[in-house]
Amino acid sequence: MEQAPVQRASNPALPRAGLLLLIGLTFVWGFNWPVMKIALTEISVWWFRGACLVFGGFGLLALAAISGQRLTVARHEFGALLLTSVFAVMGWHVLTGFGVTMMP
């Protein structure tokens, strides 16, 4: 019996739009740290982290609504979403807040 030839997956090049978005994200994320340092001379770490959560959350909801994405969560997805949000989102904000308070 003859075997079918094995097809290798091709590695498509990163689309130009994806590359531009990656570069833009890198710059925005890089500028975030100096902005945070300046902002923290005026407000407390915890107000800043709270504002980031609120404005970021509403911003993501607005982008999802504008792009036509569903804003509801299926019941079977809720546990994984809650677990991920506690560790990935809340953990990030709380731990960076503590880290910033320990910096001179």
Side-chain angles (χ1 to χ4, degrees), residues 28-102:
V28 169
W29 203 321
F31 287 126
N32 178 48
W33 292 102
V35 168
M36 184 168 56
K37 184 71 172 168
I38 293 168
L40 292 178
T41 62
E42 300 295 326
I43 60 175
S44 77
V45 171
W46 303 113
W47 275 103
F48 184 75
R49 298 290 7 145
C52 288
L53 281 170
V54 170
F55 289 121
F58 281 121
L60 287 174
L61 287 173
L63 287 173
I66 290 168
S67 67
Q69 299 294 317
R70 69 181 174 100
L71 298 177
T72 58
V73 177
R75 177 167 270 150
H76 70 277
E77 295 173 335
F78 190 76
L81 177 65
L82 182 64
L83 185 68
T84 303
S85 62
V86 166
F87 286 106
V89 179
M90 290 296 295
W92 166 259
H93 285 280
V94 170
L95 293 175
T96 57
F98 279 123
V100 168
T101 61
M102 294 180 186

Side-chain angles (χ1 to χ4, degrees), residues 17-32:
L19 183 59
L20 291 174
L21 286 171
L22 179 62
I23 291 169
L25 177 64
T26 303
F27 279 111
V28 169
W29 203 321
F31 287 126
N32 178 48

